[in-house]
Amino acid sequence: MGITERRNREKLRMRRSILDAAMKLFVEDGYDNVSIRKIAKRIEYSPATIYLYFTDKDEIFFQLHQEAFSKFLAVQKETLKIQNPMARLAKQGANYLEFAQKHPEHYDLMFIIKAPLRKLKTEWNCGFESFDILRQTIAECIDQGHLGNNNVDVVAIHVWANVHGLASLIIRDRLAMIPEDLLPQLLQEVMAFGTETLANR
Amino acid sequence: MGITERRNREKLRMRRSILDAAMKLFVEDGYDNVSIRKIAKRIEYSPATIYLYFTDKDEIFFQLHQEAFSKFLAVQKETLKIQNPMARLAKQGANYLEFAQKHPEHYDLMFIIKAPLRKLKTEWNCGFESFDILRQTIAECIDQGHLGNNNVDVVAIHVWANVHGLASLIIRDRLAMIPEDLLPQLLQEVMAFGTETLANR
DNA sequence: CGAGTATAGTTTACAGTGTTCAGTAAATTA
DNA sequence: TAATTTACTGAACACTGTAAACTATACTCG
């Protein structure tokens, strides 16, 4: 059965190369400017071929969405080494914002974009897992008396909304009222302020 | 010169009806599913006609963007009646979230969507004005010793990011980990928690 | 009032999009 | 070698934003 195995390998390689091409175009040209035809041209196949490997455009984006998430998840799991939950929480927040700024197209895919949401409700496992890491950390903080006696979910969503709000305002250029050169410094202060408001509970 | 005046009126009426049709389609079908042709069909003119009143699709969206903003601005100005700046701040936050949930397509246009951003940098006056109302309120809070001795912009961006984060997570369905029926209650608690963390400074 | 011009609107067209499907050519199997 | 399975493509459909050329009407001026 060496032949079918090789064929499976080739099939996987093809899927991979489609996804890679799509992601590259994504990062280069932005979400809205990626078309099936462009992806096809990039890998030097006809557009129709892509439909032999993915049912539609959404499936490609959903796949990339998942991969972006597992990338992010890996970064967040790194923080689990940090013993002190408050320090860990701060690091998770910093990671989040850094990820958003370093990989805006990935972030877009993960948290902002509208497109491939049909499947999101049933299959957003990475999202849940990532939220759970945050949740877990906050639970520890509360246990150790750092965050008052609050509902874990309330605090978790509060924290997440905080960093996501910042990240998406930046990515979508809605902080135009702040001079560009002052922004990085200011952002750091905002993050510091955020953790401070939490710590002094 | 009654003739040119009438013509101007008619020109304005036409612009108005294009914008109205566009906004309706927007709300009905979502941003991505509105095309020039659909707008044209709605007002019973040819697609090309629209280009006699707007240079391109972006200009339509930019116009609607501005109108959505002035609508929001009107709501926010209402809060200026409230004397106590802390209470005013809380009301502004609640308004913000309510606006986002009641008019998701408007909100999308204002704060999330990517499309018509070329002009945003130079002409986002409503955005600035609206930010200024928040800023002003926070300045008063700081003056009265409610928010510690912090930089106004830092706190303003913090607060904005907070509510915007919540709003955009809701609109983009990224709170799927929370059972739908528990969400409204939880959101209120998150908002309450947010104001609380600020107040106890 | 009639001729000429400005204007509003339409028709037609181009280049792009996602997607489908009949058809082909090559690889594999019998 | 013949039959079958597989991978792939070209052409087409129904859309998209937009531009240019054209027409019909409204208005201005002699």
Side-chain angles (χ1 to χ4, degrees):
Chain A
M1 288 293 134
I3 285 167
T4 56
E5 277 177 13
R6 191 210 64 210
R7 282 202 154 147
N8 280 340
R9 272 203 313 277
E10 282 173 357
K11 206 154 194 164
L12 275 174
R13 256 231 320 265
M14 188 64 153
R15 258 184 89 92
R16 192 64 264 149
S17 81
I18 291 171
L19 289 171
D20 288 345
M23 194 66 230
K24 268 177 201 156
L25 286 171
F26 234 168
V27 173
E28 285 169 23
D29 306 347
Y31 180 85
D32 295 327
N33 300 313
V34 179
S35 70
I36 294 285
R37 281 174 175 80
K38 275 190 193 169
I39 299 172
K41 199 167 188 180
R42 188 88 168 205
I43 59 171
E44 298 178 292
Y45 280 83
S46 101
T49 301
I50 289 176
Y51 287 88
L52 301 175
Y53 294 87
F54 295 92
T55 62
D56 58 9
K57 202 184 173 186
D58 273 6
E59 205 194 314
I60 296 176
F61 292 145
F62 181 69
Q63 196 59 241
L64 289 175
H65 171 102
Q66 287 209 314
E67 291 178 14
F69 237 116
S70 63
K71 196 171 168 176
F72 172 68
L73 208 54
V75 177
Q76 287 304 55
K77 276 182 180 162
E78 276 291 301
T79 65
L80 294 177
K81 293 182 199 160
I82 303 170
Q83 287 298 317
N84 182 340
M86 286 302 279
R88 195 193 313 151
L89 184 60
K91 179 67 178 162
Q92 282 173 7
N95 277 353
Y96 191 98
L97 207 66
E98 197 188 320
F99 185 89
Q101 291 185 277
K102 266 195 188 167
H103 314 288
E105 296 297 340
H106 287 77
Y107 189 86
D108 224 310
L109 219 47
M110 291 160 67
F111 296 115
I112 304 183
I113 269 171
K114 231 174 182 173
L117 285 191
R118 314 179 254 115
K119 295 178 180 174
L120 212 155
K121 294 205 172 165
T122 54
E123 300 182 44
W124 204 34
N125 298 319
C126 290
F128 300 148
E129 199 177 334
S130 150
F131 184 69
D132 240 43
I133 289 181
L134 174 64
R135 219 177 153 284
Q136 192 58 39
T137 301
I138 286 169
E140 279 183 53
C141 290
I142 292 174
D143 273 356
Q144 298 190 13
H146 293 299
L147 293 178
N149 190 19
N150 288 288
N151 181 319
V152 185
D153 285 312
V154 169
V155 183
I157 291 180
H158 168 85
V159 170
W160 183 19
N162 222 318
V163 286
H164 167 68
L166 264 185
S168 57
L169 287 176
I170 294 167
I171 286 183
R172 287 295 197 264
D173 246 325
R174 254 63 167 198
L175 292 175
M177 61 281 290
I178 309 296
E180 218 164 321
D181 50 327
L182 298 180
L183 198 57
Q185 168 64 14
L186 200 65
L187 285 179
Q188 241 180 327
E189 287 178 46
V190 173
M191 284 295 281
F193 181 75
T195 49
E196 213 182 296
T197 54
L198 278 179
N200 295 10
R201 308 249 72 237
Chain B
M1 288 294 130
I3 285 167
T4 58
E5 278 178 14
R6 192 211 62 211
R7 281 199 155 153
N8 280 339
R9 272 204 312 278
E10 282 173 357
K11 205 154 193 167
L12 275 175
R13 255 232 321 266
M14 187 64 153
R15 259 184 88 93
R16 191 65 264 149
S17 82
I18 292 171
L19 289 172
D20 288 345
M23 194 67 229
K24 269 177 202 154
L25 285 171
F26 237 166
V27 173
E28 285 170 24
D29 305 347
Y31 179 85
D32 294 328
N33 301 312
V34 179
S35 69
I36 294 285
R37 279 173 175 80
K38 274 190 192 169
I39 300 172
K41 197 169 188 180
R42 187 89 166 208
I43 59 172
E44 298 178 293
Y45 280 83
S46 101
T49 300
I50 290 176
Y51 287 90
L52 301 174
Y53 296 87
F54 296 91
T55 63
D56 58 9
K57 203 184 172 188
D58 273 6
E59 205 194 313
I60 297 176
F61 292 146
F62 181 69
Q63 195 59 240
L64 290 175
H65 171 102
Q66 286 208 315
E67 291 179 14
F69 237 114
S70 62
K71 196 171 169 177
F72 173 67
L73 208 54
V75 176
Q76 286 305 55
K77 277 182 179 163
E78 276 290 300
T79 65
L80 293 178
K81 293 182 200 160
I82 303 171
Q83 288 297 318
N84 181 339
M86 286 301 279
R88 195 193 312 150
L89 184 60
K91 180 67 179 161
Q92 283 172 7
N95 277 353
Y96 191 99
L97 207 65
E98 198 189 320
F99 185 90
Q101 289 184 277
K102 267 193 186 165
H103 314 287
E105 296 295 342
H106 288 77
Y107 189 86
D108 225 310
L109 221 47
M110 291 160 68
F111 296 115
I112 304 183
I113 269 172
K114 233 175 180 172
L117 284 192
R118 315 180 254 111
K119 294 178 182 174
L120 212 155
K121 297 207 170 167
T122 53
E123 300 182 43
W124 204 34
N125 299 317
C126 289
F128 300 146
E129 199 176 336
S130 151
F131 184 68
D132 240 43
I133 289 181
L134 175 64
R135 222 178 151 281
Q136 193 58 40
T137 302
I138 286 170
E140 278 183 55
C141 290
I142 292 175
D143 274 355
Q144 297 189 13
H146 292 300
L147 293 179
N149 189 20
N150 289 287
N151 181 320
V152 185
D153 285 312
V154 168
V155 183
I157 292 180
H158 168 85
V159 171
W160 183 20
N162 222 321
V163 286
H164 168 68
L166 264 184
S168 55
L169 287 175
I170 295 166
I171 286 183
R172 286 297 197 264
D173 246 324
R174 253 64 167 198
L175 292 176
M177 61 281 290
I178 310 295
E180 218 164 324
D181 51 326
L182 298 179
L183 199 57
Q185 168 65 14
L186 200 65
L187 285 180
Q188 241 179 327
E189 287 178 47
V190 173
M191 285 294 281
F193 180 75
T195 48
E196 213 182 296
T197 53
L198 278 179
N200 293 11
R201 308 252 71 238

